[in-house]
Amino acid sequence: MIAKRAEQIKPFIVMDVLERARAMEHEGINVIHLEVGEPDFDTPQCVKDAACKALEEGHTHYTHSLGNLELREAICKHNFKTYNVSVHPDQIVITSGTSPAMLLIFSVLLEKGDRVIISDPHYACYPNFIRFVQGVPVTVPVYEEDGFQYRPEAIKKRITKKTKAILINSPSNPTGNLLSESRMRAIAEFPPYIISDEIYHGLVYEGKEHSILEFTDNAFVLNGFSKLYAMTGLRLGYLIAPKPFIRPIQKMQQSFFISANSVIQIAAIAALEKAGEDVARMKNIYNERRQYMVKRLKEIGFGITVEPTGAFYVFANAKHISEDSYKLAFDILEESRVGVTPGIDFGNNGEGYLRFSYANSMENIIEGLNRIENYCESHFAGVR
Ligand SMILES: Cc1ncc(COP(=O)(O)O)c(C=O)c1O
């Protein structure tokens, strides 16, 4: 009775880890969460104030289906200031998170059997979205020794007439690595479209992130407020698309979602215009945690060939202790009471790795990694 399109959705394993961790907590067990991919910080006060004010002032109605014009203009300003790229407000659609924006982009681009190139490892949900609209995800492996960056020549080999887009995500979930400017420039040349998931932009600790729009107009940008502004639960994101795609996307938005949340759209203007200091504060703290986590994981024996410089993840090689990352993650959870995400959640090429998130306090990171060190010493002493 269940439609194939729903049945084929693969579970998001990190949620399975999280749910088991929550059940343990319910039994009174203390669990350290290094699995979750959401900021531990509170939403900046200026954003909360703007949301409360918008609510008080009665901004509780549907907005324009493309989104609040003032917010779209603020996004254009942000793009110009950050990347020196000019975007028109009519190229932007505000959505209830980056996730619905992804659904809209794949829906407007893909016919049955059309292919989208994604890296392996990749954000776990991408193939679900692509298959849901009858597209075919085509994976291109990326390697630890390259800092998990795409090799443009490997992408080129997988392009066929059916390829509609190449998906990039820099800084990346799960690896925390950036795609270099030169590789991004090379990828931008490939036909027909690049979809660039820029949700971790702003969370870069070394080097500089680039928007795909610096290199080509044949591109779709995905972005949102969840990560940089610690607004995950407030659900707000957006897409930027070439103009001819906007009207079809708008019709889907009108029918499927009507508009994004009115109050949070106003709060998002405050995020873009007033939350700079909060972002800088959070970023400094993430960076301290990143440096500590990388150092400690290496000491414990995990392999990190190229240090991650963005987002809030470390993707560490654990092949010396297990080739079965799913089992390893659950063993660590049961025995050490630390949640980590198995690399297999992010594709076959992620097998043998674990993703550690540093979106948790330094105190918890220290305790969590001490527990993992004890786990490794008691099971795999001498194995490096
Ligand atoms: C790479 C990537 N894209 C998109 C999303 C979804 O973000 P949102 O909360 O805006 O729907 C996530 C969330 O973890 C992510 O890691």
Side-chain angles (χ1 to χ4, degrees):
M1 292 297 282
I2 296 162
K4 236 166 111 187
R5 88 174 69 80
E7 282 229 298
Q8 71 183 359
I9 300 276
K10 293 218 176 101
F12 201 0
I13 299 174
V14 63
M15 299 313 287
D16 292 347
V17 176
L18 183 61
E19 279 155 26
R20 175 65 196 133
R22 295 261 187 259
M24 289 165 72
E25 285 172 326
H26 193 68
E27 290 163 25
I29 299 168
N30 168 278
V31 178
I32 307 271
H33 294 275
L34 302 182
E35 76 282 37
V36 277
E38 71 167 327
D40 55 313
F41 295 108
D42 198 11
T43 305
Q45 192 59 44
C46 62
V47 176
K48 293 199 282 190
D49 288 346
C52 290
K53 186 162 176 275
L55 199 56
E56 283 301 327
E57 288 177 354
H59 295 282
T60 52
H61 303 277
Y62 295 137
T63 68
H64 191 292
S65 56
L66 296 180
N68 178 315
L69 180 58
E70 208 187 319
L71 172 58
R72 286 184 284 137
E73 285 169 347
I75 292 169
C76 293
K77 265 194 214 148
H78 171 79
N79 266 274
F80 192 73
K81 204 169 103 197
T82 316
Y83 315 110
N84 202 20
V85 158
S86 293
V87 175
H88 195 275
D90 289 351
Q91 283 178 264
I92 297 175
V93 184
I94 310 292
T95 52
S96 300
T98 308
S99 309
M102 232 177 265
L103 186 62
L104 292 173
I105 291 177
F106 291 129
S107 301
V108 82
L109 262 183
L110 303 184
E111 299 284 4
K112 187 174 180 185
D114 281 346
R115 297 153 70 109
V116 179
I117 292 178
I118 58 175
S119 64
D120 183 4
H122 50 73
Y123 172 52
C125 301
Y126 292 147
N128 284 335
F129 280 105
I130 297 167
R131 289 198 190 100
F132 193 76
V133 297
Q134 298 188 298
V136 180
V138 174
T139 53
V140 169
V142 292
Y143 301 100
E144 194 183 324
E145 58 272 25
D146 275 341
F148 298 102
Q149 292 184 49
Y150 272 125
R151 294 176 182 167
E153 58 283 8
I155 294 180
K156 202 171 176 182
K157 283 192 194 136
R158 304 301 309 270
I159 295 176
T160 69
K161 282 200 180 115
K162 285 270 183 191
T163 305
K164 276 290 175 68
I166 297 151
L167 181 53
I168 63 175
N169 173 220
S170 166
S172 140
N173 177 7
T175 72
N177 285 104
L178 281 176
L179 191 57
S180 73
E181 183 180 350
S182 59
R183 292 192 195 207
M184 202 159 167
R185 202 180 278 282
I187 293 166
E189 298 288 314
F190 293 142
Y193 292 103
I194 312 297
I195 301 172
S196 179
D197 183 345
E198 301 183 355
I199 190 162
Y200 291 101
H201 275 214
L203 294 175
V204 174
Y205 316 103
E206 287 173 40
K208 188 179 179 316
E209 69 276 43
H210 290 275
S211 173
I212 192 66
L213 297 177
E214 293 172 49
F215 310 113
T216 177
D217 292 330
N218 294 328
F220 293 80
V221 170
L222 287 160
N223 207 336
F225 295 84
S226 288
K227 313 287 176 172
L228 187 60
Y229 300 103
M231 289 169 61
T232 40
L234 300 180
R235 311 304 306 130
L236 204 75
Y238 59 92
L239 63 83
I240 305 175
K243 273 209 177 132
F245 289 95
I246 290 293
R247 180 63 185 152
I249 291 175
Q250 181 180 22
K251 287 190 288 176
M252 285 188 280
Q253 168 91 330
Q254 288 169 338
S255 269
F256 302 161
F257 308 115
I258 302 186
S259 75
N261 182 314
S262 55
V263 165
I264 304 307
Q265 290 190 61
I266 292 171
I269 300 170
L272 287 170
E273 292 179 351
K274 297 184 188 160
E277 277 180 25
D278 296 281
V279 166
R281 174 181 49 83
M282 293 189 275
K283 199 173 136 180
N284 279 338
I285 298 173
Y286 283 134
N287 191 23
E288 281 169 19
R289 298 170 181 174
R290 173 184 74 100
Q291 288 166 345
Y292 176 80
M293 186 177 257
V294 167
K295 179 173 100 13
R296 261 319 257 139
L297 285 171
K298 282 184 176 173
E299 275 168 18
I300 298 169
F302 289 98
I304 299 164
T305 308
V306 178
E307 292 189 5
T309 55
F312 34 64
Y313 306 112
V314 181
F315 204 57
N317 191 328
K319 290 180 186 171
H320 59 298
I321 50 177
S322 175
E323 292 280 346
D324 184 344
S325 60
Y326 185 89
K327 184 170 179 305
L328 180 62
F330 277 92
D331 276 357
I332 290 175
L333 177 61
E334 297 295 338
E335 276 196 42
S336 311
R337 296 155 288 118
V338 183
V340 295
T341 309
I344 191 67
D345 202 12
F346 308 101
N348 290 338
N349 203 38
E351 184 54 296
Y353 291 82
L354 293 174
R355 188 194 72 175
F356 297 83
S357 160
Y358 46 90
N360 202 335
S361 69
M362 190 63 130
E363 196 188 350
N364 282 337
I365 291 171
I366 291 171
E367 172 61 17
L369 295 181
N370 285 345
R371 290 184 191 181
I372 289 178
E373 182 172 46
N374 289 338
Y375 170 88
C376 290
E377 277 176 1
S378 64
H379 290 272
F380 310 103
V383 185
R384 285 275 152 113

